Amino acid sequence: GEDVEQSLFLSVREGDSSVINCTYTDSSSTYLYWYKQEPGAGLQLLTYIFSNMDMKQDQRLTVLLNKKDKHLSLRIADTQTGDSAIYFCAEINDYGQNFVFGPGTRLSVLP
Amino acid sequence: GAGVSQTPSNKVTEKGKYVELRCDPISGHTALYWYRQSLGQGPEFLIYFQGTGAADDSGLPNDRFFAVRPEGSVSTLKIQRTERGDSAVYLCASSLFPDGGELFFGEGSRLTVL
């Protein structure tokens, strides 16, 4: 079955860049996603990348996809305290129905 | 409504009791998902509806769990004979497209089984 792995914690200083990494197993995933979860709130889609792309940039966010290594990363430039949250990597399964989420990376931004 | 609405937001029950959790998706969204999130973990898939039918219920852990969506809108997740291990946040999400579109999540129903 599908499996998505992430490191559990990341701590950065305000203004630095954050890089959150993810590995996945399903090579047929059409889309790969990054969701953000703030304390006490539901998950919110941050960005996604189509599997035939290597990179996608959206303001402070850069997503890099290495299909050969099944590695996805999310870079947040100029990280702010408001970026403190849990970030989930997700892929969609073979049948395009079931989203599989990683365990989440808790990002702490220090002043 | 404007977003996915889940009720109750918190539910405390005793072991062995029956529980219903309700999800009201975004109007017009045909796809509806239930996930379960335990502390420190990512959401774990339970069941997916396309319209009124359960297109994939492979994530339901056992036959104590059941979900319905009789009119293709509101869904209810039903848990019989609750166990302490069922304690988690139950998340509902809906999507306009059934094949990989953005999932819109509710804030979840936190279930605590004593």
Side-chain angles (χ1 to χ4, degrees), chain B residues 23-70:
Chain B
C23 172
D24 197 344
I26 293 173
S27 178
H29 281 196
T30 57
L32 186 145
Y33 300 76
W34 282 101
Y35 282 83
R36 176 168 71 175
Q37 187 176 21
S38 299
L39 193 63
Q41 297 183 18
E44 173 194 16
F45 171 75
L46 295 177
I47 187 169
Y48 157 66
F49 287 90
Q50 179 54 34
T52 59
D56 182 354
D57 64 358
S58 62
L60 294 177
N62 52 57
D63 62 6
R64 295 187 297 106
F65 288 75
F66 189 69
V68 296
R69 195 185 185 199

Side-chain angles (χ1 to χ4, degrees), chain A residues 8 31 33 35 37 40-45 86 88 92-93 95-104, chain B residues 33 35 37 40-45 48 55-56 58 91 98-108:
Chain A
L8 297 182
Y31 294 94
Y33 303 83
Y35 278 81
Q37 186 177 36
L43 279 75
Q44 184 176 23
L45 180 67
I86 303 175
F88 293 94
I92 192 160
N93 76 344
Y95 307 103
Q97 297 174 342
N98 171 11
F99 290 75
V100 180
F101 288 83
Chain B
Y33 300 76
Y35 282 83
Q37 187 176 21
Q41 297 183 18
E44 173 194 16
F45 171 75
Y48 157 66
D56 182 354
S58 62
L91 298 170
D99 59 351
E102 178 179 356
L103 288 183
F104 292 84
F105 281 86
E107 294 187 358

Side-chain angles (χ1 to χ4, degrees), chain A residues 12-18 76-81 83 109-111:
Chain A
V12 300
R13 292 245 175 239
E14 192 173 14
D16 288 350
S17 292
S18 307
I76 306 172
D78 186 25
T79 313
Q80 303 297 307
T81 54
D83 295 324
V109 182
L110 307 174

